[in-house]
Amino acid sequence: MPGGSPVARAAGYARDDELTCVMEITDVAPVAMPHRIRGRARVAGWLTPVPCGERTRAAAALLAERHPVGELLALDHAMRPPEPGGPAAGIGPAGRAAWTLLRLEVGEAYVDDLWGADTVEPDDFATATPDPLVRHEADLLQHLHAAHGEQVRGLCALLGDRSAMVCTRGPATPVALDRFGLRVRFTDEADRPFDARFDFPEPVRGVSELRRAMHALFDASTG
C-alpha cells in the first residue's frame, strides 16, 4: 500500500491490536458486452504490517514481479524499517516511505460468480493454485472475439435443441476461459443473454494445450 495511505497508517498505529479488514474484488470480463461483471468476492480478516526480515524481501520481490509498476519494480531493493521492528517500507523520493507491505490474515472468504455462490475456507484459500491460463485469459478472450468471432458463434451448433434459435440471433461473445473450458454468451429468442459452457475433453495445462482443445471444439461444432 502507499506509505501515506490511511490503511498503511492505521496498520502501523495498531501494532499488536487487531485491525479488521474486508477486501472486495470485482471480476469484469475483458471483452465489451452488456452485464460485464462476471463475479464478486469478499475476503475478510486482520491486517498487520510486515516486519523487516528475509521474508519481507521475498514478499517484496514477489510483489514487484507480479505488479511491475513504477516504484514497485525496486521495492525489493529498497526496504527499510522506520524504527526497529517496524513495518517494511520502500524508499521513495527524498527518503519518504513510498510503499508499506501489509499482510492480510484471512478469516473468511466468499465468492459469487458465474459458477455460483459459496464460502471459501481460509486453508483452501491459502493453498489454492492459480489456473494456468489466468495470466493469459484477457488477451486470449480478446483474440477469440476479434479474430475468431465466426468460429465462436459456430459453437452454438453444440447446444442441441437451442441451437436453431440461437445461431441466427445476436452476437456470440467469449466471456470466460480456464483450464476446464470456455464460456460464451449468446442471445435467446426473447433477446435475453444466456451463457453456455463448452468443456474441454480434459483440463489444459498451458496455452499450447489450449490451442489443441480449442481446435477440437471448433472441429466438433462443424462436424
Side-chain angles (χ1 to χ4, degrees), residues 41-117:
R42 185 180 67 250
V43 183
W46 302 271
L47 203 62
T48 57
V50 178
C52 276
E54 289 302 316
R55 292 186 64 185
T56 299
R57 295 187 61 83
L62 179 62
L63 182 61
E65 175 190 345
R66 297 287 176 85
H67 302 282
V69 179
E71 292 171 331
L72 291 181
L73 284 168
L75 185 60
D76 60 321
H77 298 296
M79 305 301 299
R80 63 116 173 112
E83 57 183 78
I91 303 298
R96 294 190 297 271
W99 300 93
T100 298
L101 288 178
L102 303 176
R103 175 178 54 226
L104 176 62
E105 180 183 350
V106 177
E108 62 178 7
Y110 176 81
V111 176
D112 183 357
D113 60 16
L114 299 173
W115 292 264

Side-chain angles (χ1 to χ4, degrees), residues 45-206:
W46 302 271
L47 203 62
T48 57
V50 178
C52 276
E54 289 302 316
R55 292 186 64 185
T56 299
R57 295 187 61 83
L62 179 62
L63 182 61
E65 175 190 345
R66 297 287 176 85
H67 302 282
V69 179
E71 292 171 331
L72 291 181
L73 284 168
L75 185 60
D76 60 321
H77 298 296
M79 305 301 299
R80 63 116 173 112
E83 57 183 78
I91 303 298
R96 294 190 297 271
W99 300 93
T100 298
L101 288 178
L102 303 176
R103 175 178 54 226
L104 176 62
E105 180 183 350
V106 177
E108 62 178 7
Y110 176 81
V111 176
D112 183 357
D113 60 16
L114 299 173
W115 292 264
D118 204 352
T119 57
V120 180
E121 292 297 324
D123 289 344
D124 295 336
F125 182 86
T127 58
T129 301
D131 190 274
L133 301 181
V134 67
R135 292 191 178 188
H136 312 287
E137 185 200 18
D139 290 338
L140 290 168
L141 288 175
Q142 291 169 355
H143 174 73
L144 284 172
H145 185 58
H148 301 279
E150 287 304 312
Q151 289 172 292
V152 172
R153 170 186 271 290
L155 293 175
C156 67
L158 302 176
L159 296 179
D161 294 340
R162 301 190 78 173
S163 61
M165 48 187 150
V166 169
C167 289
T168 58
R169 305 181 65 86
T173 308
V175 178
L177 178 68
D178 57 44
R179 65 184 181 274
F180 297 110
L182 172 70
R183 185 180 292 265
V184 179
R185 182 159 297 170
F186 296 98
T187 303
D188 67 10
E189 67 278 9
D191 288 327
R192 295 171 301 195
F194 77 93
D195 291 354
R197 173 83 175 179
F198 301 96
D199 292 331
F200 300 140
E202 59 184 27
V204 301
R205 293 172 294 183

Side-chain angles (χ1 to χ4, degrees), residues 3-25:
S5 66
V7 173
R9 292 200 304 269
Y13 292 144
R15 293 304 177 95
D16 296 332
D17 295 332
E18 292 184 348
L19 179 65
T20 57
C21 172
V22 177
M23 179 171 59
E24 295 184 344
I25 304 167

